[in-house]
Amino acid sequence: MIIRTRNLIAALAVAASVAGASAVQAQPALPSASAQPVRNIVLVHGAFADGSGWRGVYDELTARGYRVNIVQNPLTSLADDVAATRRVLDRQDGPVILVGHSYGGTVITEAGADPRVAGLVYVAALAPDAGESTLDQFAEIPPPPDFVIEEQSDGFGFVNGPKFKAGFAGDTSDADAAFMRDSQVPIAMSAFKAKVTQAAWRIKPSWFVVATEDGAIDPKLLRKTARRMGADTEEVKGSHVVFLTQPKAVADVIDRAAKHTAHPAR
């Protein structure tokens, strides 16, 4: 099932902001996002994981000619994760499609206002508005019952071991789920409470992948979030780690975003 709602207003806002910036700077430090095709992709992982899960999506996109970089979030605070993302954005040589999974959606919502970012792709992700936190997203639609976070005495959290597969990676093999469970990257729980100061999806064109079998974020919340954003939305049958189990489908959405925002130099 595919739902596509083109956010033309957001696209026009990006073009206007870039044009305005060019008008006040005699020699802009970066090329306009509308001056060349988008060939750079930056992937941002979420909580309890690292960037290695993006390998399948990376392989798909690099085979299609994209330059792909993967952020390794420290997961020590939202500010640290945004800084890590901006550090990778600083290394790009042109406009970027910025992609976030799960809590990584909160990260790209804050970091995505960067002028290098031409579009945003949310993969089974959160997308707070300005003044909202990751936790605020769950106020009306809580996580499914099998997604249980255990907070440690130092303020960092892990996903409950016995419920890990059902809540996080339901469509992976038992062996892969066990490996992800045992190689978790804990997150500072305070990161979930930190409020974003800006919502990049309000000014940038956005795409959204809804994982229809998500056991960590209720698909009803994913759909509600995508509707609020006015995002071009695609539903993919998969668990919360849909980017790992359905890399081609996720890469297809990213590819479509890059082509939609492409404006070859004249």
Side-chain angles (χ1 to χ4, degrees), residues 20-38:
S22 298
V24 298
Q25 296 182 21
Q27 294 183 336
L30 294 169
S32 164
S34 63
Q36 58 184 289
V38 177

Side-chain angles (χ1 to χ4, degrees), residues 6-161:
R6 178 62 56 218
N7 193 340
L8 293 175
I9 294 175
L12 291 172
V14 174
S17 64
V18 171
S22 298
V24 298
Q25 296 182 21
Q27 294 183 336
L30 294 169
S32 164
S34 63
Q36 58 184 289
V38 177
R39 301 307 300 169
N40 299 312
I41 312 293
V42 172
L43 306 173
V44 182
H45 68 83
F48 316 110
D50 64 18
S52 63
W54 286 112
R55 181 58 188 271
V57 173
Y58 173 92
D59 288 345
E60 285 280 346
L61 292 172
T62 55
R64 303 181 198 193
Y66 290 101
R67 176 176 181 257
V68 184
N69 287 120
I70 299 171
V71 175
Q72 293 287 5
N73 285 324
L75 302 180
T76 47
S77 71
L78 176 59
D80 289 346
D81 297 333
V82 170
T85 300
R86 287 174 174 157
R87 202 170 294 126
V88 175
L89 290 174
D90 286 344
R91 296 173 58 82
Q92 306 306 303
D93 60 3
V96 179
I97 296 297
L98 185 59
V99 184
H101 170 250
S102 192
Y103 159 77
T106 300
V107 177
I108 71 169
T109 293
E110 182 75 30
D114 188 293
R116 299 169 182 81
V117 177
L120 303 160
V121 178
Y122 290 78
V123 181
L126 285 312
D129 205 346
E132 292 180 347
S133 69
T134 298
L135 281 181
D136 289 338
Q137 295 275 276
F138 295 100
E140 294 183 15
I141 305 176
D146 284 329
F147 185 63
V148 178
I149 301 173
E150 297 174 338
E151 184 172 353
Q152 310 300 296
S153 60
D154 63 354
F156 281 75
F158 290 84
V159 177
N160 171 272

